[in-house]
Amino acid sequence: MNQPVKKNVWSKTPIVVLTAAFCCLLWGSAAPCIKIGYRVFGVSGNDVPSILLFAGLRFTIAGLMVIAAGSVLQHRLLLPKKSSWKGIFTLAALQTVIQYIFFYNGVAHTSGVRTSIINACGTFFSIAVSVLIFRFEKLTIAKVIGSIAGFLGVLVIVTNGEAISGAPFTLAGEGLVIISTLSSAFAGCAIKLFSRKEDPVLLSGWQFFFGGLIMMSLGAAGGGRLVPSAASCLPLILYMGFISAGAYTFWGILLKYNEVSKVTICGFMNPVFGVIISAILLGEFSEAVNIYTLVALLLVVTGIVIVNRPSKAAA
């Protein structure tokens, strides 16, 4: 009689959902924190070099946090091997530099709630890229239905029930945030690809560090400046570093041990936390608290449940 294969703890559905929820809680706080950061560091929405400098500082700090924590937990200095550099620089380009150049400039021209919701479209894109381009998994009816349910939730809360053609989208705002989600989708699949042979914690830490340095260099070269104006500047930038350090590291671990769809469908939880945190920090209650938000969140939860239901074959 065959012995049952012991399931990795990171592959257990409750662990996946709870860990993904923690990541989404952190990501949900990112957009309002960025807007607050612009204010306390004296960054104008049109000052691209200063935006890059601000973003680069955050990610450099995130990288140092991950490298330090990983080194302590693994009882060794987390240094890349020769084989690690391809993955590090690929992820630094996709997950940090390209994604956040678009994201940080987009978030400066749209609301925190709207940014959080549109950013959740990356979940839909990630599943499509995983299935159609990287061929990591097969497309199933459950994945299609779950993705459609979650994506409809995103559309409902973004448009507040209005026709999409009448929604006040702009390329400089919502358009750039959407483009950033495409880069994120490819980055998620790249993490799964490279983590087959590499430590996802090491990849996360060093790609953030180098990606952050690149963005800081671009910002400084363009004349970017940060002018701290409040005592909250230091704890804010440290927390923003932790958002990336914690969320992307755990997300990378989940992607290493699970199908991309099982993990990324949970990304639709971003709107749940995004609308709540933005409402609290930015006072966007009229945009966050209404019947459309409730409908959207129900659709998001439905999508997660459908994709993560055990299949009959596995029963």
Side-chain angles (χ1 to χ4, degrees), residues 57-67 205 208 240-242 244-245:
L57 176 61
R58 170 195 173 186
F59 294 124
T60 302
I61 291 172
L64 292 173
M65 285 181 173
V66 175
I67 294 168
F208 272 134
M240 291 180 69
F242 175 71
S244 296

Side-chain angles (χ1 to χ4, degrees), residues 42-61:
V43 177
S44 165
N46 296 317
D47 186 354
V48 174
S50 294
I51 289 174
L52 292 179
L53 187 60
F54 179 62
L57 176 61
R58 170 195 173 186
F59 294 124
T60 302
I61 291 172

